[in-house]
Amino acid sequence: MSSKNYYDVTKWNVGNPYEDIGEVINSIIADIKKRQTDSNMNEGGKPGAVIYIPSGDYHLRTQVVIDISYLKIMGSGHGFVSSSIRYNLPENEWADLHEVWPGGSRILVDLSPKPGDEESAGAAFYVERDGNPRISSVEFENFCIDGLHFVDDGSGMPNPENTYTNGKTGIYIGSAQDSFRLTGMGIVYLEHGVTIYHADALSIHDNFIAECGNCIELRGWGQASKITDNLMGAGYKGYSIFAENFGGLLITANNIFPRGTSSVHFRNVARSTITANRFHSFYPGMLVFEGNCSENMVSSNHFLRDNEPWAPMLEYDNGLDDLYGILCISGNNNSVIANHISEIIHTQSIKPAGAKPVIIHIVSGKGNYISDNHIVATTEATDEQTKASDSCFSAQVDALTTTDKLVALDVTAVLVEKESVQNTILDSGSEGQVIIDRTVNAFRATPVPGV
Amino acid sequence: MSSKNYYDVTKWNVGNPYEDIGEVINSIIADIKKRQTDSNMNEGGKPGAVIYIPSGDYHLRTQVVIDISYLKIMGSGHGFVSSSIRYNLPENEWADLHEVWPGGSRILVDLSPKPGDEESAGAAFYVERDGNPRISSVEFENFCIDGLHFVDDGSGMPNPENTYTNGKTGIYIGSAQDSFRLTGMGIVYLEHGVTIYHADALSIHDNFIAECGNCIELRGWGQASKITDNLMGAGYKGYSIFAENFGGLLITANNIFPRGTSSVHFRNVARSTITANRFHSFYPGMLVFEGNCSENMVSSNHFLRDNEPWAPMLEYDNGLDDLYGILCISGNNNSVIANHISEIIHTQSIKPAGAKPVIIHIVSGKGNYISDNHIVATTEATDEQTKASDSCFSAQVDALTTTDKLVALDVTAVLVEKESVQNTILDSGSEGQVIIDRTVNAFRATPVPGV
Amino acid sequence: MSSKNYYDVTKWNVGNPYEDIGEVINSIIADIKKRQTDSNMNEGGKPGAVIYIPSGDYHLRTQVVIDISYLKIMGSGHGFVSSSIRYNLPENEWADLHEVWPGGSRILVDLSPKPGDEESAGAAFYVERDGNPRISSVEFENFCIDGLHFVDDGSGMPNPENTYTNGKTGIYIGSAQDSFRLTGMGIVYLEHGVTIYHADALSIHDNFIAECGNCIELRGWGQASKITDNLMGAGYKGYSIFAENFGGLLITANNIFPRGTSSVHFRNVARSTITANRFHSFYPGMLVFEGNCSENMVSSNHFLRDNEPWAPMLEYDNGLDDLYGILCISGNNNSVIANHISEIIHTQSIKPAGAKPVIIHIVSGKGNYISDNHIVATTEATDEQTKASDSCFSAQVDALTTTDKLVALDVTAVLVEKESVQNTILDSGSEGQVIIDRTVNAFRATPVPGV
């Protein structure tokens, strides 16, 4: 690896990457900028560089600031382990663990943002550049960003490591950018995994982003991007995927597990696509379209909402009740077609008590098209509380695959509020399961067996 | 590459990687364990390492045993070539071949498991660790595992290289694990490509797994994993994808070609998703849900079943007859929505002779929802046997793209057995094409042209 | 990196990679062939090699010719930047740009194909090998191929950099091949991005191919391949994806943005799948099935057609009028299920003037199944021309997310020509929106709100 544009953080001549990889990477970036000064030399001149992070533990005490295009930062391992499970073990069991911490090419985010600081102050990687062109083609690949600890958030949660709060962000992109790539990363125990303003042609592909307060937030506005093939799951009070003022976002092939206040939350997003994903959550509001969300497509997804099975998290949820809807939609001309939606909950967990849960809730707007969705709502015949388990994994597998003791639960398959008109609801619920004003909406009931 | 955590198998000081890469990798793993002993040193301590396999031919005579997290084994090429085509050439033509064997970063699996050995004895890579946490974030990337030969299985098959039997496995994971990744691999000529017990948050993405007895087997139980964007095709008596007791599995964006006794076989799998795949097979039983498979989603897939076109394989199939169903489903509350299913077969190939083939077969369970599937069944007007070809490739392309001499074939689009009730069948077959007890199921026929 | 099979172009002893990387790579390939001569040595012998291109600007003045299997060419960055935006800036603004040219591991294609040359003469990478086996498992990964300039095409376009014409191709594969991979590439400003004849088990995955005359062309014939998870967009007179005589192609999870004379164009393609993509175009004819395209599946896609918002391109389109159809289909037994289609156009832009635009157009063939598609057609209430913008990005975001001033536009949702019969059209348009001969086709109208 003799090229001047290839840097190994363990071989750079400034700083100690194990003590502060931020200082090292910033020094490397300064070197690239010092060497690549001519933006138009022989039809080239600023190709950028790759910074390689070998497997290892690297403390980051200085924020990395990226303001050059074509920088690739890559490691040799996403290094995820469940810190949440570990932090809910008795400390005296830690000595028996094979390993305590995440691994791979691992950045330990040792920043200490203060209350009142800008959110970006807590970012391990901060990208910002004004002027033209937009900063382009920065790539993050196959390393681990570990926020290390959550902290007391004042909520009284007994174990502060369960708060999903620490003011830290993995990657924060503050200015408009083009054709960025995040691939094969592991991102864990950060209040914000990835926060990106003004994205264009962004690819977030094949990452592992879990046990973060929020996983992916696309803010400001943006277009023509994709979030594909990721394994993700946010904390109980954050988003797994959030986007606002976006057009042409493609969310597909993701497996998004609990918790997450929502799996996908759109605010004023248009002409975007959510398809072929698997979503699992413990609360209502799995998919939320807020404000004017229009002409979006939600198809061929599998939604599962069931009850929290893990003892340390039993007390917490996203605060929404069962009348909110598993899917809650505001806006015009959206399509919800060919989805499977399972709601498998204990009757005593329903809020408000005795309410009939709502599955698809059309809150406002017009022209939405809800068709050919299969809604399965059941409860356990014995209706015993799931035995909360200390083992997040075995409890979940058990809950996920237990389907044989279930009896039907009465739900509102589709609720169309009075404020919303000219919608078309087809084959998404039987006569008795859909609440809709037929004088201003179109409705065709799913045929009922034996009728 | 100076980091201590970066190993190149061709530069390690123990063993000869070309003679036995297993010995070399095990020695490297021992070195990692010797160096990384403190599981909680400065909030780190065991980051793992990367083992690089340059392009080359590496015999493996000692099984690799992995019991550390965050190990990444990576090569520089998946190296697939069709060994099946080669083994069915006359040997005197081999001298004219540009190259005889697979390539890239290639492991030649020279293990000799004996009858009666545990299945894992034939595994090139064996992963197992007890205790906590589960072994995490091991990554396999972009190398080739070649089983070299199949052997006489006693069935009397004239060419033992066509038996798909050799007792070898590419990657065998015997204990519960978390967040593993298999990416960009080439896996060929093994009886079992990838066998994984107790998977959580597993990603099998963008691999080439073909000409194996079985491609991917997820055994024991597991959850929240994804099999995405792979090219695959098992032998005539194995699974392309098998899973049991699994919840939340996402199978999407795969192109699964013949043969495979089934493309996807689920046993007691729940709340999983099969969507946006392309499936091609030469036999019935392309998709099988066995036991209690419930609340799964099968949508937006393309199924094609036609006849075997390749001379050496004409005698072999998976033993199922045409009444079994292209999709055969047992379980409750599954969704089969918006799929295209083509069955293009010679009438003289139908078993039992003269039978009316079944496309979607609901065997047991209740509450299944089958809607908006387009079933195309045709046979050639002349009904001549496809001219079996010595060239696997050109014969297949020809068969795949020949659609203009076809006439309609009479089939049962959906067969709902008496044992199965409360199902809903919509727009998936005309009146005469669906066999169903309407007193206990719901049915809406696809409208017929001109009626 | 001591392996003999690992080559760094900056360390090779023949040629200067910065002046002519083609000479260097050809010399490396010759070295591999000189060293790897025995095709059956110890069950191996020709594993191929990896050629690494560090970040940097590399002029290519000699075409790279690849005729060995298992060659991997990889870089450290796809390096895309919008050259189209730059070329439409006043030249005196270039001095203010942070960087002028694409970057990463960047090949500058300095070939000068002459009119009358074979198309392959303008290819940066040319793959061709006769005999057996087919050339296999060549991989292209994570570098940039930049065609640099478009040229005057005689059309009178004021800025020749907008012609999408230069006779150059990024990767041209002329002979049958197996299991090739293109991953993580950036391909820009070439008349043909990727041209591949006779593909089998090809994977084009997670690339950025934009501002090319055509992005991906699969020619001749082929089978069992995938184009997945790419960001793409061709010029106004070329294809984003073209395929002919293909069987079993899977196109999924792509985000294909304008322009492109079509997003996907199939000619005599059968049993292929287009699902879970996001498509955006400024012209009719987004999806074209030409000739005998049969048994293909188009499902769960989002189609958006609106008006060109960018000043430099306002004069150009693909020449098709609004009666052509957003989807235009010839062939038999295709499925178009569960798609969202938005057409948002100014009434004064409609051609022929005053015409009622067609959304899904069935031109010929029989047995096509069009079901459960949600068609949204609107125009701005004020119907003002979109203010054409100098900024491609902000104009597009604005256009993409503006949905609140729209009123319904009268369209023909589905037009089935007389030549086409035995089709089934369900829930894809109301009574008045579908033109169909009901005596020879089946039709069920989407219910209308309030009726």
Side-chain angles (χ1 to χ4, degrees):
Chain A
M1 297 295 188
S2 69
S3 165
K4 288 175 185 163
N5 295 327
Y6 185 99
Y7 297 84
D8 179 329
V9 294
T10 66
K11 298 170 78 170
W12 187 238
N13 54 15
V14 174
N16 178 335
Y18 306 107
E19 293 302 314
D20 185 8
I21 196 172
E23 181 192 1
V24 172
I25 294 178
N26 285 339
S27 167
I28 291 171
I29 292 171
D31 187 67
I32 299 166
K33 291 165 78 168
K34 196 172 77 177
R35 293 190 304 100
Q36 299 182 2
T37 55
D38 186 340
S39 70
N40 194 6
M41 178 185 61
N42 197 13
E43 301 202 319
K46 290 187 172 178
V50 57
I51 299 176
Y52 175 61
I53 305 170
S55 305
D57 293 304
Y58 304 90
H59 290 268
L60 182 146
R61 298 191 164 92
T62 304
Q63 182 178 70
V64 172
V65 179
I66 298 174
D67 59 356
I68 56 170
S69 293
Y70 320 129
L71 184 69
K72 177 169 189 159
I73 303 181
M74 63 178 288
S76 289
H78 77 93
F80 181 85
V81 78
S82 174
S83 290
S84 180
I85 293 176
R86 179 186 65 249
Y87 281 127
N88 288 286
L89 288 177
E91 279 248 12
N92 63 5
E93 292 185 17
W94 284 33
D96 296 330
L97 297 177
H98 291 294
E99 62 268 336
V100 174
W101 301 96
S105 297
R106 172 175 173 242
I107 308 294
L108 293 73
V109 184
D110 276 319
L111 301 174
S112 301
K114 300 284 179 300
D117 283 354
E118 302 219 4
E119 183 186 312
S120 60
F125 293 85
Y126 175 67
V127 181
E128 172 102 43
R129 188 176 79 176
D130 294 328
N132 287 310
R134 294 167 288 164
I135 186 167
S136 300
S137 293
V138 173
E139 304 188 23
F140 298 88
E141 185 173 307
N142 202 214
F143 63 96
C144 179
I145 308 178
D146 179 7
L148 297 169
H149 299 278
F150 292 128
V151 300
D152 190 339
D153 64 352
S155 69
M157 181 169 272
N159 185 346
E161 296 288 4
N162 289 340
T163 63
Y164 290 95
T165 300
N166 61 12
K168 298 180 187 177
T169 300
I171 298 171
Y172 186 103
I173 307 178
S175 56
Q177 92 287 157
D178 191 17
S179 54
F180 272 39
R181 288 167 55 92
L182 279 70
T183 312
M185 298 289 294
I187 298 183
V188 57
Y189 253 65
L190 296 147
E191 185 168 339
H192 303 275
V194 178
T195 300
I196 303 181
Y197 285 81
H198 311 157
D200 189 8
L202 167 71
S203 172
I204 301 181
H205 175 67
D206 198 21
N207 300 285
F208 198 107
I209 309 178
E211 302 185 356
C212 287
N214 302 265
C215 293
I216 298 173
E217 294 159 272
L218 303 185
R219 300 187 191 159
W221 33 261
Q223 72 165 359
S225 296
K226 63 185 172 82
I227 298 174
T228 59
D229 224 314
N230 300 285
L231 292 161
M232 286 197 281
Y236 69 95
K237 61 184 181 185
Y239 307 114
S240 288
I241 298 176
F242 170 84
E244 63 185 354
N245 309 315
F246 221 97
L249 179 61
L250 175 64
I251 299 175
T252 188
N254 300 287
N255 194 329
I256 302 188
F257 33 77
R259 290 173 187 78
T261 185
S262 57
S263 302
V264 179
H265 188 117
F266 279 176
R267 181 181 298 146
N268 304 323
V269 168
R271 295 152 188 162
S272 292
T273 310
I274 301 170
T275 182
N277 300 285
R278 183 255 171 174
F279 298 122
H280 182 197
S281 174
F282 299 140
Y283 325 127
M286 293 182 68
L287 175 73
V288 178
F289 284 2
E290 174 194 354
N292 181 10
C293 283
S294 294
E295 298 173 45
N296 299 294
M297 167 80 157
V298 180
S299 69
S300 281
N301 300 289
H302 191 287
F303 293 86
L304 168 63
R305 188 249 150 154
D306 53 10
N307 289 113
E308 171 72 65
W310 196 36
M313 292 293 168
L314 281 177
E315 301 301 310
Y316 306 95
D317 62 26
N318 66 356
L320 298 173
D321 70 27
D322 290 291
L323 299 174
Y324 186 82
I326 302 300
L327 287 71
C328 185
I329 293 179
S330 299
N332 307 314
N333 296 319
N334 297 290
S335 300
V336 179
I337 309 177
N339 299 284
H340 178 108
I341 309 173
S342 278
E343 170 141 283
I344 316 298
I345 54 175
H346 310 297
T347 54
Q348 73 272 34
S349 76
I350 294 172
K351 295 188 295 187
K356 191 190 288 191
V358 174
I359 305 301
I360 301 176
H361 191 181
I362 310 297
V363 174
S364 63
K366 63 183 181 182
N368 296 295
Y369 181 86
I370 315 296
S371 178
D372 209 10
N373 298 288
H374 183 209
I375 294 168
V376 177
T378 59
T379 190
E380 289 195 31
T382 59
D383 207 32
E384 289 171 17
Q385 181 76 19
T386 297
K387 186 163 172 299
S389 170
D390 289 338
S391 164
C392 180
F393 178 54
S394 66
Q396 284 191 17
V397 171
D398 194 44
L400 264 173
T401 56
T402 299
T403 61
D404 51 356
K405 298 173 190 167
L406 300 173
V407 295
L409 175 71
D410 201 16
V411 297
T412 300
V414 184
L415 167 60
V416 182
E417 297 285 356
K418 292 283 179 202
E419 289 73 14
S420 185
V421 297
Q422 290 177 270
N423 302 291
T424 303
I425 316 295
L426 309 177
D427 302 332
S428 298
S430 62
E431 283 285 341
Q433 290 179 315
V434 177
I435 299 175
I436 188 171
D437 179 346
R438 297 192 192 192
T439 64
V440 291
N441 297 283
F443 175 59
R444 183 174 72 218
T446 309
V448 174
V451 175
Chain B
M1 296 297 189
S2 69
S3 164
K4 288 175 185 163
N5 294 327
Y6 185 100
Y7 297 85
D8 180 331
V9 293
T10 66
K11 298 170 79 170
W12 187 238
N13 54 15
V14 173
N16 177 335
Y18 306 106
E19 293 302 315
D20 185 7
I21 195 171
E23 182 193 1
V24 172
I25 293 178
N26 284 339
S27 166
I28 292 172
I29 292 172
D31 186 68
I32 299 166
K33 292 165 77 168
K34 195 172 77 178
R35 293 191 302 102
Q36 299 181 3
T37 55
D38 187 340
S39 70
N40 194 6
M41 177 185 63
N42 196 14
E43 301 202 321
K46 290 188 172 178
V50 56
I51 299 177
Y52 175 61
I53 305 170
S55 306
D57 292 304
Y58 304 91
H59 290 268
L60 182 146
R61 297 191 165 92
T62 304
Q63 181 178 69
V64 173
V65 179
I66 298 174
D67 60 356
I68 56 171
S69 294
Y70 319 129
L71 184 69
K72 177 169 189 159
I73 304 181
M74 63 179 288
S76 288
H78 77 94
F80 181 85
V81 78
S82 175
S83 290
S84 181
I85 293 176
R86 179 185 66 248
Y87 281 126
N88 288 286
L89 288 177
E91 279 248 14
N92 63 5
E93 292 185 17
W94 285 33
D96 296 330
L97 296 177
H98 290 293
E99 62 268 336
V100 174
W101 301 96
S105 297
R106 173 174 172 243
I107 308 294
L108 293 71
V109 183
D110 277 319
L111 301 174
S112 301
K114 300 286 179 297
D117 283 355
E118 301 220 4
E119 183 185 314
S120 60
F125 293 85
Y126 175 66
V127 181
E128 171 101 44
R129 188 176 80 177
D130 293 328
N132 287 310
R134 294 167 289 165
I135 186 169
S136 300
S137 293
V138 173
E139 305 187 24
F140 298 88
E141 184 174 308
N142 202 214
F143 64 95
C144 179
I145 308 178
D146 178 8
L148 298 169
H149 298 279
F150 292 128
V151 299
D152 191 339
D153 64 352
S155 69
M157 182 169 272
N159 185 344
E161 296 288 3
N162 290 340
T163 62
Y164 291 94
T165 300
N166 62 12
K168 299 180 187 178
T169 300
I171 298 171
Y172 186 104
I173 306 179
S175 57
Q177 90 288 155
D178 191 17
S179 53
F180 273 39
R181 288 166 56 91
L182 278 72
T183 313
M185 298 289 292
I187 298 182
V188 58
Y189 253 64
L190 296 146
E191 185 168 339
H192 304 275
V194 178
T195 300
I196 302 181
Y197 285 81
H198 310 158
D200 189 7
L202 167 70
S203 172
I204 301 182
H205 175 68
D206 197 22
N207 300 286
F208 198 107
I209 309 177
E211 300 184 357
C212 287
N214 302 266
C215 294
I216 298 173
E217 293 159 272
L218 303 185
R219 299 188 191 158
W221 33 261
Q223 71 165 1
S225 295
K226 62 186 172 83
I227 299 175
T228 58
D229 223 315
N230 300 285
L231 292 160
M232 286 196 282
Y236 69 95
K237 61 182 180 187
Y239 307 113
S240 287
I241 298 176
F242 170 84
E244 64 185 354
N245 309 315
F246 221 96
L249 178 61
L250 174 64
I251 299 175
T252 188
N254 299 287
N255 193 329
I256 301 188
F257 34 78
R259 291 172 186 80
T261 185
S262 57
S263 303
V264 179
H265 188 118
F266 279 177
R267 182 182 298 146
N268 304 323
V269 168
R271 296 153 188 161
S272 291
T273 311
I274 301 170
T275 183
N277 300 285
R278 183 254 171 174
F279 298 121
H280 182 197
S281 174
F282 299 140
Y283 325 128
M286 293 182 66
L287 176 73
V288 178
F289 284 2
E290 175 195 352
N292 182 10
C293 283
S294 294
E295 298 174 44
N296 299 293
M297 167 79 156
V298 180
S299 69
S300 281
N301 300 289
H302 190 289
F303 294 86
L304 167 64
R305 188 250 151 154
D306 54 9
N307 288 113
E308 172 72 66
W310 196 36
M313 293 293 170
L314 282 177
E315 301 302 309
Y316 307 95
D317 62 27
N318 66 355
L320 298 174
D321 70 26
D322 291 292
L323 298 174
Y324 186 82
I326 302 301
L327 287 72
C328 185
I329 293 179
S330 298
N332 307 315
N333 295 320
N334 296 290
S335 302
V336 179
I337 309 177
N339 299 283
H340 178 108
I341 309 173
S342 278
E343 170 142 282
I344 316 298
I345 53 173
H346 311 296
T347 54
Q348 72 271 33
S349 76
I350 294 173
K351 294 188 296 187
K356 190 190 288 192
V358 174
I359 306 301
I360 301 177
H361 191 181
I362 310 297
V363 175
S364 64
K366 63 183 181 182
N368 297 294
Y369 181 87
I370 315 296
S371 179
D372 209 12
N373 299 288
H374 183 208
I375 294 168
V376 177
T378 59
T379 190
E380 288 195 31
T382 60
D383 206 31
E384 290 171 17
Q385 180 77 21
T386 297
K387 188 167 170 297
S389 172
D390 290 337
S391 165
C392 181
F393 178 55
S394 65
Q396 284 190 17
V397 171
D398 194 45
L400 264 172
T401 56
T402 299
T403 62
D404 51 358
K405 298 171 190 166
L406 300 174
V407 295
L409 175 71
D410 201 16
V411 297
T412 299
V414 184
L415 167 60
V416 182
E417 297 286 356
K418 292 283 180 203
E419 289 72 15
S420 185
V421 297
Q422 291 177 270
N423 302 290
T424 303
I425 316 295
L426 309 178
D427 302 333
S428 297
S430 62
E431 282 286 341
Q433 291 178 316
V434 177
I435 300 175
I436 187 169
D437 180 345
R438 297 193 191 189
T439 65
V440 291
N441 297 283
F443 176 58
R444 183 174 72 217
T446 309
V448 174
V451 176
Chain C
M1 296 297 190
S2 69
S3 166
K4 287 175 185 163
N5 294 327
Y6 185 100
Y7 297 84
D8 180 328
V9 294
T10 66
K11 298 170 79 170
W12 187 238
N13 54 14
V14 173
N16 177 334
Y18 306 106
E19 293 301 315
D20 185 9
I21 195 171
E23 182 193 2
V24 172
I25 293 178
N26 284 339
S27 167
I28 291 171
I29 291 171
D31 187 68
I32 298 166
K33 292 165 79 168
K34 196 172 76 178
R35 293 191 302 102
Q36 298 182 3
T37 54
D38 187 340
S39 70
N40 194 6
M41 178 184 62
N42 197 13
E43 301 202 319
K46 290 187 172 177
V50 57
I51 299 176
Y52 175 61
I53 305 171
S55 305
D57 293 303
Y58 304 90
H59 289 268
L60 182 146
R61 297 190 165 93
T62 304
Q63 181 178 70
V64 172
V65 179
I66 297 174
D67 59 356
I68 57 171
S69 292
Y70 320 129
L71 184 69
K72 178 170 188 159
I73 304 181
M74 62 178 288
S76 288
H78 77 93
F80 181 84
V81 78
S82 174
S83 290
S84 180
I85 293 176
R86 178 185 66 248
Y87 281 126
N88 288 287
L89 289 177
E91 278 249 13
N92 62 4
E93 291 185 17
W94 284 33
D96 296 330
L97 296 177
H98 290 294
E99 63 268 335
V100 173
W101 301 96
S105 297
R106 173 175 172 243
I107 309 293
L108 293 73
V109 183
D110 277 319
L111 301 174
S112 302
K114 301 285 178 298
D117 283 354
E118 300 219 6
E119 183 185 313
S120 61
F125 293 84
Y126 176 67
V127 181
E128 172 101 44
R129 188 175 79 176
D130 293 327
N132 288 309
R134 294 167 289 164
I135 186 168
S136 301
S137 293
V138 173
E139 305 187 23
F140 298 89
E141 185 174 306
N142 201 214
F143 64 95
C144 178
I145 308 177
D146 178 8
L148 296 169
H149 298 278
F150 291 128
V151 299
D152 190 339
D153 63 353
S155 69
M157 181 170 271
N159 184 347
E161 296 287 5
N162 290 340
T163 63
Y164 291 94
T165 300
N166 61 13
K168 299 180 186 177
T169 300
I171 298 170
Y172 186 104
I173 306 177
S175 57
Q177 91 287 157
D178 191 17
S179 54
F180 272 40
R181 290 166 54 92
L182 278 71
T183 312
M185 298 289 293
I187 298 182
V188 57
Y189 253 65
L190 296 147
E191 185 168 339
H192 303 275
V194 178
T195 300
I196 303 181
Y197 284 81
H198 311 157
D200 189 9
L202 167 70
S203 172
I204 301 182
H205 175 68
D206 197 21
N207 301 286
F208 198 108
I209 309 177
E211 302 185 354
C212 287
N214 302 265
C215 294
I216 298 173
E217 293 159 272
L218 303 185
R219 299 187 191 159
W221 33 261
Q223 71 165 359
S225 296
K226 64 186 172 82
I227 299 175
T228 58
D229 223 314
N230 300 285
L231 292 160
M232 285 197 282
Y236 69 95
K237 61 183 181 187
Y239 307 113
S240 287
I241 298 176
F242 170 84
E244 62 185 354
N245 308 314
F246 220 96
L249 178 61
L250 174 64
I251 299 175
T252 187
N254 300 287
N255 193 329
I256 302 188
F257 33 79
R259 292 175 184 78
T261 185
S262 57
S263 302
V264 179
H265 188 117
F266 279 177
R267 181 182 298 147
N268 304 322
V269 168
R271 295 151 190 162
S272 291
T273 311
I274 301 169
T275 182
N277 300 286
R278 182 255 172 174
F279 298 121
H280 182 196
S281 174
F282 300 139
Y283 326 126
M286 293 182 68
L287 175 74
V288 178
F289 284 2
E290 175 195 352
N292 182 10
C293 283
S294 294
E295 298 173 45
N296 299 293
M297 168 79 156
V298 181
S299 69
S300 281
N301 301 289
H302 191 288
F303 293 87
L304 167 64
R305 188 248 151 155
D306 54 10
N307 288 112
E308 171 74 63
W310 195 37
M313 292 292 170
L314 281 177
E315 302 300 311
Y316 305 96
D317 62 27
N318 67 354
L320 298 173
D321 69 27
D322 290 290
L323 298 174
Y324 186 82
I326 301 301
L327 287 72
C328 185
I329 293 178
S330 299
N332 307 314
N333 295 320
N334 297 290
S335 300
V336 179
I337 310 177
N339 299 284
H340 178 108
I341 310 173
S342 279
E343 170 141 284
I344 317 298
I345 54 174
H346 311 296
T347 54
Q348 74 271 31
S349 76
I350 295 172
K351 297 186 295 187
K356 189 190 289 192
V358 173
I359 305 302
I360 301 176
H361 191 181
I362 311 297
V363 174
S364 64
K366 63 183 181 181
N368 296 295
Y369 180 87
I370 315 295
S371 179
D372 209 10
N373 299 288
H374 184 209
I375 294 168
V376 176
T378 59
T379 190
E380 288 194 31
T382 59
D383 206 32
E384 289 170 19
Q385 180 77 20
T386 297
K387 187 164 170 297
S389 170
D390 289 338
S391 163
C392 180
F393 178 54
S394 65
Q396 283 191 18
V397 171
D398 195 45
L400 264 172
T401 56
T402 299
T403 61
D404 51 356
K405 297 172 190 168
L406 300 173
V407 296
L409 174 72
D410 201 16
V411 297
T412 299
V414 184
L415 167 60
V416 182
E417 297 285 357
K418 292 283 180 204
E419 289 73 13
S420 185
V421 297
Q422 289 176 271
N423 302 290
T424 303
I425 315 294
L426 309 178
D427 302 332
S428 297
S430 61
E431 283 285 341
Q433 291 179 315
V434 177
I435 299 175
I436 188 170
D437 180 346
R438 297 193 191 189
T439 65
V440 291
N441 297 284
F443 175 59
R444 183 174 73 217
T446 309
V448 174
V451 176

